[in-house]
Amino acid sequence: MAQDGDKQSEEPQVTLYTLEDVRKRNTAKEIWLVIHDRVYDITKFVEEHPGGEEVLFEQAGADATESFEDAGHSIDAREMLNQYYIGDLHPDDCKNQGKKDVLLTTSSSTSSSWSSWLIPAVAVVILGFMYRFYTVDSRSS
Ligand code: HEM
């Protein structure tokens, strides 16, 4: 029995929130926002934010990924996010971003597999032609 308990505690328990859950937390008492499909409760951070309270109030209850990235936050700022992380955005609400990631991965891996054999193959064909022309030239002269 104790083992069962251990197993359960080893599994990461991620709480899922919908955008609707997040939207409700946009008051001075409670401020949540979404960055890269992760949900943050920044209520206690608002006053400390070096970029000011106002920008956070503007993003309260919404997906702040774009504005967070636009501000060009440092690595330290990104690490600070962990302190306020409370859960993930429900997959239903982050469909578009998931699709975009998949497309980007697929297209980049496809192009790299193409170039890995196409460029050497073209080089071999060109070298073959050059070799033929040179040998034919030298035989005829
Ligand atoms: C919980 C989320 C956030 C954290 C932990 C955070 C943290 C920080 C930190 C540590 C800085 C100081 C500069 C740096 O180290 O990059 C900063 C600056 C700033 N932040 Fe944030 N920030 C958050 C969310 C946001 C959002 C959503 C916006 C935009 C709406 C924003 C806009 C800014 C701006 C404009 C500055 C000033 C940049 C400058 O003066 O060069 N931040 N933030």
Side-chain angles (χ1 to χ4, degrees):
M1 289 300 267
Q3 272 182 343
D4 278 357
D6 286 345
K7 258 187 198 169
Q8 270 186 351
S9 62
E10 274 170 28
E11 296 203 358
Q13 299 281 316
V14 178
T15 314
L16 293 178
Y17 297 101
T18 62
L19 264 183
E20 198 49 48
D21 293 330
V22 179
R23 258 182 226 130
K24 288 178 203 155
R25 274 63 179 223
N26 68 349
T27 62
K29 275 187 187 166
E30 215 179 6
I31 297 183
W32 291 12
L33 46 77
V34 176
I35 297 173
H36 291 299
D37 297 339
R38 288 158 72 90
V39 181
Y40 299 95
D41 179 349
I42 56 158
T43 315
K44 291 186 182 134
F45 174 69
V46 175
E47 286 176 18
E48 298 165 25
H49 183 226
E53 297 179 14
E54 199 52 43
V55 285
L56 297 184
F57 284 130
E58 278 168 17
Q59 301 298 321
D63 189 329
T65 308
E66 217 178 304
S67 30
F68 181 82
E69 291 302 341
D70 285 351
H73 284 96
S74 64
I75 293 173
D76 279 355
R78 287 161 199 278
E79 280 170 1
M80 280 173 78
L81 283 176
N82 293 330
Q83 298 171 38
Y84 306 102
Y85 171 72
I86 53 168
D88 284 355
L89 193 61
H90 195 284
D92 283 354
D93 283 338
C94 44
K95 255 184 204 159
N96 289 337
Q97 294 196 5
K99 268 187 200 158
K100 209 163 103 190
D101 284 352
V102 171
L103 275 176
L104 282 176
T105 329
T106 326
S107 61
S108 67
S109 65
T110 317
S111 69
S112 68
S113 67
W114 262 78
S115 56
S116 64
W117 65 265
L118 191 66
I119 293 171
V122 170
V124 166
V125 171
I126 292 172
L127 282 175
F129 272 113
M130 284 170 72
Y131 179 75
R132 243 187 102 80
F133 277 123
Y134 277 118
T135 48
V136 169
D137 267 3
S138 56
R139 263 189 224 147
S140 62
S141 59

